Amino acid sequence: DNGRVVIAQPAGPAQTYLGSLDGLPGNALVGAWIGSGDDAWVVGTAGAIAHWDGASWTTTPPFVTISLQGVRAWPGGEVLVVGAAGTVWQRRGGQWEALDGPPGARTLRAIDGAQPDDVWIGGLDGSLAHFDGVSWSRATLPPVAGQDIDTVQVVPGGLALRVVNTGGSVRQLRG
């Protein structure tokens, strides 16, 4: 639809409305990460990035023109975004910089991690990789291999990784 994002927090049996973003002109919103009522990020087509600080949305001028599809942030302001063509961007100290993505990666769709130096990403054709803050290592989860990965979830404690693919199957990797 119009890419509307609504930020709300539980308040007993109801929710407290905090704010919304009615899309970004010319962009569809594709991915979101919400850490709390005062820290949320959304990404979308044509390099769209916006941040919710609890009071208002701030958009980042696009520094890429491709679709960004996944985003993850951590306390302290560090953010990673992933997208088409194996794109990975990192925000550290308020500045964005391109990172080399996993070798051979195509479109990256999903991202999660316990901290910025323990991140998992997934994408087209079963692309699954781990980032240790310096370099990438590829992983395979049969029978996910060859199927698009839509969701990556790092389980608390960091000992398990759940992956959901386009077929709806869920796989878990234990470390």
Side-chain angles (χ1 to χ4, degrees), residues 22-102:
D22 290 320
L24 298 170
N27 298 302
L29 299 178
V30 179
W33 175 84
I34 301 172
S36 66
D38 62 0
D39 190 18
W41 290 84
V42 295
V43 295
T45 58
I49 300 175
H51 177 246
W52 171 258
D53 65 7
S56 63
W57 286 98
T58 302
T59 57
T60 298
F63 40 81
V64 295
T65 57
I66 61 170
S67 178
L68 298 174
Q69 301 198 1
V71 57
R72 177 63 165 93
W74 293 270
E78 190 156 346
V79 180
L80 284 173
V81 298
V82 297
T87 298
V88 180
W89 281 81
Q90 178 180 44
R91 182 179 183 264
R92 183 182 289 171
Q95 300 296 313
W96 289 97
E97 67 175 325
L99 296 181
D100 290 332

